[in-house]
Amino acid sequence: MVVSMTGFGRSKAESERFSVTVEVKTVNHRFCEFHIRMPRQLLKLEEKIKKKLGEHINRGRVEVFVTLEGEGIVSRSVHIDWEALDEFVHHITEIKNRYSLTGDLEIRDVVSREEIIHIEEKEAENEELEQLVLSAVDEAGGQLVHMRKLEGKALEEDVLQYIELLKGNITNVKQLAPDVVVQYRERLSRKMAELLDAQADEDRIHTEAAFFADKADISEELARLESHISQFKEIMKVNEPLGRKLDFLLQEMNREVNTIGSKANDSRIAREVVDMKSLLEKVKEQVQNIE
């Protein structure tokens, strides 16, 4: 089954205390690479989120956005360093007395001193919140896969269309190939007759034509190309990640097409080769988006 690496999924999970929204976006990538953005208090769940999404995704660049709302996410408490406060007040009083200064010590003079009084935040351990986040991640991953499969279906249709056109080019080349040797023999016969100004040596023409036919024989390349195409179509039916396998086969198909172009030595076949290379390039563009 063809699955695209491009997709998007979104889910929102709520309880009486919390509301979690998860968005997952994927694009093509050689490997499976995660980029997760979420509130600091959820960072401890990063590996669990990756593992949960790994149940849905095998390949691609994965961008995850988690937003969190609710009460009790972080507990806050006021911390006062009483010893530091006593010492601070004592020294302020001593300074006033020693230098006969006026003015009273206000509460704002104390609360502004972070080394004396400050608010401590502590992330609440909450199993309910963890389950809520992972549930939203799982649902968003499911939506993402659904979209990737729909995109994959469209990719499959485009790729198979190009493959059918490629098979048409191969048929044309197979029809043209025998005529290449015949035309070479005719050209060789005329050339030798002109040079010798008489009847050309048939034995020599036959030998030269046989040598050319062997050198220009592209039957093996055509057979391998057709085999690669059959294998390509079979792989597309497999229910597993197949992008890398298809990409490898495309490299082999390109190699055969290039060899056909270099060996055939015929302008008509050369035009077919150009068309085949163009089609393979289009297939490659689509395969690069397949998981």
Side-chain angles (χ1 to χ4, degrees), residues 1-13:
M1 177 187 293
V2 176
V3 177
S4 171
M5 281 192 283
T6 302
F8 177 81
R10 185 179 189 275
S11 177
K12 188 173 184 179

Side-chain angles (χ1 to χ4, degrees), residues 22-285:
V22 176
E23 295 180 342
V24 185
K25 174 185 176 183
T26 58
V27 294
N28 64 315
H29 194 274
R30 290 181 61 193
F31 308 104
C32 189
E33 183 178 279
F34 289 94
H35 297 270
I36 303 176
R37 298 179 185 177
M38 57 186 173
R40 181 172 55 84
Q41 59 265 34
L42 297 180
L43 290 177
K44 60 185 178 182
L45 299 179
E46 182 171 344
E47 290 305 316
K48 291 184 178 180
I49 291 174
K50 289 180 180 180
K51 184 177 180 181
K52 180 65 67 175
L53 288 174
E55 298 173 5
H56 301 282
I57 303 166
N58 293 286
R59 188 170 169 228
R61 175 186 169 90
V62 187
E63 296 183 359
V64 185
F65 304 89
V66 182
T67 56
L68 174 63
E69 297 177 0
E71 296 296 330
I73 298 172
V74 177
S75 60
R76 296 179 176 86
S77 60
V78 177
H79 178 75
I80 300 175
D81 188 337
W82 292 105
E83 291 185 3
L85 179 57
D86 289 342
E87 189 172 352
F88 177 76
V89 173
H90 171 74
H91 285 301
I92 291 297
T93 303
E94 186 177 348
I95 290 171
K96 287 178 60 179
N97 294 335
R98 175 174 295 188
Y99 299 103
S100 301
L101 300 176
T102 59
D104 296 326
L105 182 64
E106 301 287 344
I107 186 66
R108 64 172 176 271
D109 299 323
V110 176
V111 297
S112 63
R113 310 293 299 188
E114 292 186 3
E115 67 273 17
I116 295 175
I117 181 170
H118 62 276
I119 297 175
E120 290 185 344
E121 292 187 352
K122 186 177 180 181
E123 298 167 11
E125 295 290 336
N126 196 303
E127 186 176 345
E128 174 195 359
L129 177 59
E130 178 178 328
Q131 293 302 318
L132 208 63
V133 171
L134 295 180
S135 175
V137 168
D138 190 44
E139 185 177 343
Q143 291 184 8
L144 172 77
V145 170
H146 178 69
M147 182 175 177
R148 281 159 64 108
K149 286 181 178 178
L150 291 177
E151 292 284 337
K153 185 64 177 177
L155 284 174
E156 182 179 6
E157 291 174 358
D158 286 344
V159 168
L160 289 178
Q161 182 180 4
Y162 294 139
I163 292 296
E164 288 303 310
L165 293 174
L166 182 64
K167 289 171 64 178
N169 290 118
I170 293 173
T171 299
N172 293 340
V173 172
K174 291 172 74 173
Q175 292 173 349
L176 291 169
D179 194 40
V180 172
V181 177
V182 174
Q183 289 191 357
Y184 177 78
R185 180 186 177 90
E186 292 175 352
R187 291 198 305 270
L188 183 62
S189 179
R190 289 196 302 268
K191 191 68 175 177
M192 292 184 67
E194 291 174 3
L195 292 173
L196 298 174
D197 198 22
Q199 184 68 33
D201 186 345
E202 285 297 323
D203 289 339
R204 185 175 179 186
I205 292 175
H206 178 75
T207 301
E208 290 289 339
F211 176 77
F212 175 81
D214 183 65
K215 184 179 179 180
D217 182 21
I218 56 175
S219 57
E220 289 187 9
E221 286 77 14
L222 289 170
R224 283 195 294 267
L225 185 55
E226 289 180 316
S227 175
H228 292 330
I229 289 175
S230 297
Q231 190 177 356
F232 189 95
K233 294 173 72 174
E234 287 300 316
I235 290 176
M236 292 184 73
K237 300 176 184 177
V238 177
N239 190 23
E240 64 181 36
L242 42 84
R244 289 194 179 109
K245 292 181 180 179
L246 296 179
D247 187 61
F248 173 76
L249 272 177
L250 280 175
Q251 294 179 37
E252 295 300 307
M253 291 160 70
N254 261 308
R255 186 176 291 111
E256 301 300 342
V257 169
N258 286 332
T259 304
I260 290 171
S262 62
K263 290 178 66 174
N265 196 26
D266 181 82
S267 60
R268 296 167 300 172
I269 292 180
R271 285 193 291 269
E272 297 292 336
V273 167
V274 170
D275 289 342
M276 286 192 285
K277 293 176 72 171
S278 176
L279 287 170
L280 287 174
E281 185 62 32
K282 292 178 181 178
V283 174
K284 181 179 179 181
E285 290 176 2

